[in-house]
Amino acid sequence: MFKSMVQLSTSVYLLGGLLGLFLLSPVTMAPTPASMCTALKTLNGSLSNRRRYMKHNFPINYTIRVHYEEVFKLSNINRMRLHVEGLDELVLQRLWFQVNRGVLKKIIRVMPERHPSRQYTTELERRFRDAEGVFVQSHPAEVFQQELPESIQDTWDHLTEEPSRVPESSWRSASPKSLLDNLCHTMHCLFSECFASTETKRDCEYFKETPPVAQDVTKKEK
């Protein structure tokens, strides 16, 4: 009887330990839901027309003012990964949505109602918001209440700060097309499970394989 009690006690401890490991496992270990991939691929389909609507329908060398943080390239993400130890990819995905939500709003804001690209960009923003909604629903609410690493929180705060309070040195000029290029390239890499075969595959492999040591993170984007 004593032996049976010991075996039962051991089993309970093992079960408790396994349960603890399961609960402590990061949310990002779960595969990207099919619904998330569907929403992002729909968005990607719209982005395939960005050259026509964001370059041909704008004056040559046309730019808009955006936050420094809104020029969001793979090199920026690599720099964050180098400087923030153990940076969770889910945090980067959250930041990607935050950055590009503002980018799309700024592009729409500079276009008159009858601009030939306004309808396209409005539809693009709607599909982006749809993808963001699926993203939020795909994770427990507490995920979005977790404290962000200090440097990521600083970036987050800059993006939500009142424009009148942003110092002039924090603004950058960027073309609408280059901003959507960044949105597209970083999406393919941050949600790589949804884009197994894309023209940016090589860049994504570089992004994933960047070792945690000092190096040149200003690799030229396509």
Side-chain angles (χ1 to χ4, degrees), residues 71-195:
V71 183
F72 197 65
K73 302 180 180 181
L74 294 180
S75 57
N76 300 99
I77 296 174
N78 276 331
R79 191 175 297 113
M80 291 179 189
R81 293 174 66 229
L82 288 171
H83 294 164
V84 182
E85 185 177 355
L87 182 58
D88 195 329
E89 190 160 300
L90 180 60
V91 171
L92 292 172
Q93 291 172 345
R94 289 175 60 191
L95 185 61
W96 180 83
F97 277 109
Q98 175 75 10
V99 167
N100 289 295
R101 188 191 315 133
V103 164
L104 289 169
K105 287 181 179 178
K106 285 183 171 67
I107 294 175
I108 292 174
R109 196 176 298 143
V110 301
M111 292 188 293
E113 288 290 337
R114 295 187 178 182
H115 191 282
S117 293
R118 187 178 179 90
Q119 184 176 351
Y120 164 79
T121 314
T122 301
E123 177 65 15
L124 187 69
E125 189 205 19
R126 184 186 68 78
R127 292 183 173 183
F128 179 88
R129 285 189 280 108
D130 287 346
E132 186 172 20
V134 176
F135 177 74
V136 171
Q137 293 172 6
S138 299
H139 299 92
E142 55 268 23
V143 166
F144 302 98
Q145 299 169 1
Q146 293 176 359
E147 186 175 345
L148 296 170
E150 183 177 356
S151 59
I152 304 298
Q153 184 64 57
D154 288 343
T155 298
W156 196 285
D157 292 341
H158 291 161
L159 293 170
T160 56
E161 194 171 8
E162 287 293 328
S164 59
R165 300 179 60 184
V166 177
E168 192 63 32
S169 60
S170 294
W171 293 107
R172 294 292 184 273
S173 294
S175 70
K177 180 180 178 297
S178 70
L179 292 168
L180 291 193
D181 285 345
N182 294 339
L183 185 159
C184 188
H185 293 163
T186 50
M187 176 180 70
H188 286 174
C189 296
L190 286 174
F191 300 92
S192 58
E193 291 182 29
C194 300
F195 302 100

Side-chain angles (χ1 to χ4, degrees), residues 6 19 26 31 49 56 76 134 178:
V6 170
L19 181 60
N49 296 317
H56 297 166
N76 300 99
V134 176
S178 70

Side-chain angles (χ1 to χ4, degrees), residues 29-41:
M29 292 298 289
T32 304
S35 56
M36 184 79 252
C37 288
T38 298
L40 289 174
K41 287 178 179 178

